[in-house]
Amino acid sequence: MKKKRIILASSSKYRKTLLASILTDFECISPNIDETRMPNEKPENMVMRLAINKAKKVCENSKDALVIGSDSCAYCDSKILGKPLKKDIAIEYLEFISNKIIIFYTGVCVIDSQSMNIQKDLAEYKIKLKKLSKKDITDYVNKHNPIHSSAAFRFEVAKDLLIQEFIDKENDLSGLIGLPLIKLQNLLDN
């Protein structure tokens, strides 16, 4: 039986690097979908919907493949914080989340493009952030340029600067970078 192609429905270099740590043979295709939040949509529902929509979009032109979709967001004080995309907005986000509890959600799914069978899972991380000074924030933004990370939070490079404590977390911290690998491996194995 022929092995199915594996496709990551993402243009994220972070997700690509994470996936390469567990798989050697996969493709990346950018899904180019509308990622607008639906009215009153809960953050955990939004990331799961977007992960599935990304994978479905790539399935449209991908035969006999397993397509991986993933999406992440941060949630703090009833606000969803996505990617800031600009340094000044990154600074605003970090000032807003400083010394607060923030929840990160990462939805992941695998869709078989032939059967359209969907498997999905959600990673959730609840974190108390340190009180950050204006200098800490400016130095972090200038050094790590976190404009493509939810809430300007780049766990992989600044966890010691940003995190006071994990209140509740998954065993697999890769979801904080954008792709929960243990959950993904479980989905691929099924």
Side-chain angles (χ1 to χ4, degrees):
M1 187 170 150
K2 185 180 171 192
K3 188 176 174 183
K4 291 184 183 274
R5 294 172 22 214
I6 296 179
I7 302 171
L8 176 62
S10 179
S11 57
S12 166
K13 64 182 179 182
Y14 305 115
R15 288 190 180 107
K16 182 179 180 181
T17 300
L18 283 168
L19 187 56
S21 73
I22 63 167
L23 295 175
T24 56
D25 189 18
F26 66 93
E27 305 167 50
C28 291
I29 299 175
S30 180
N32 296 319
I33 64 162
D34 180 1
E35 296 190 36
T36 305
R37 180 183 181 199
M38 301 294 201
N40 302 314
E41 187 173 34
K42 292 181 178 180
E44 59 270 36
N45 295 338
M46 181 186 78
V47 297
M48 192 55 64
R49 175 182 59 82
L50 292 174
I52 291 169
N53 287 351
K54 288 174 183 181
K56 281 183 175 178
K57 180 70 173 179
V58 170
C59 282
E60 291 174 5
N61 297 309
S62 303
K63 301 293 182 220
D64 203 28
L66 295 176
V67 181
I68 301 164
S70 187
D71 194 74
S72 301
C73 79
Y75 186 69
C76 182
D77 284 354
S78 301
K79 293 183 190 215
I80 292 178
L81 302 171
K83 299 171 186 168
L85 303 178
K86 295 180 180 177
K87 284 187 175 185
D88 60 327
I89 296 171
I91 289 169
E92 287 176 24
Y93 279 9
L94 291 161
E95 288 172 344
F96 175 72
I97 65 175
S98 174
N99 202 35
K100 292 182 180 172
I101 293 172
I102 188 165
I103 303 171
F104 290 90
Y105 296 99
T106 301
V108 62
C109 75
V110 175
I111 300 179
D112 182 319
S113 67
Q114 190 171 358
S115 68
M116 292 306 289
N117 179 51
I118 300 172
Q119 298 181 78
K120 61 185 180 176
D121 208 341
L122 178 74
E124 181 179 332
Y125 310 86
K126 192 173 188 180
I127 300 170
K128 169 70 170 148
L129 295 185
K130 291 180 180 176
K131 182 168 178 55
L132 303 170
S133 70
K134 183 78 169 167
K135 182 180 182 331
D136 289 339
I137 291 170
T138 303
D139 289 351
Y140 164 75
V141 169
N142 288 331
K143 182 176 181 181
H144 299 294
N145 196 27
I147 63 171
H148 297 291
S149 299
S150 295
F153 182 92
R154 288 200 50 211
F155 171 77
E156 70 277 22
V157 295
K159 59 184 169 281
D160 295 330
L161 170 69
L162 300 174
I163 298 174
Q164 180 174 317
E165 70 174 307
F166 279 98
I167 296 170
D168 189 19
K169 69 175 179 177
E170 301 278 340
N171 290 329
D172 178 11
L173 297 177
S174 61
L176 283 168
I177 305 170
L179 191 63
L181 295 177
I182 293 172
K183 290 183 182 298
L184 174 59
Q185 189 66 63
N186 289 337
L187 296 176
L188 289 170
D189 289 346
N190 290 333

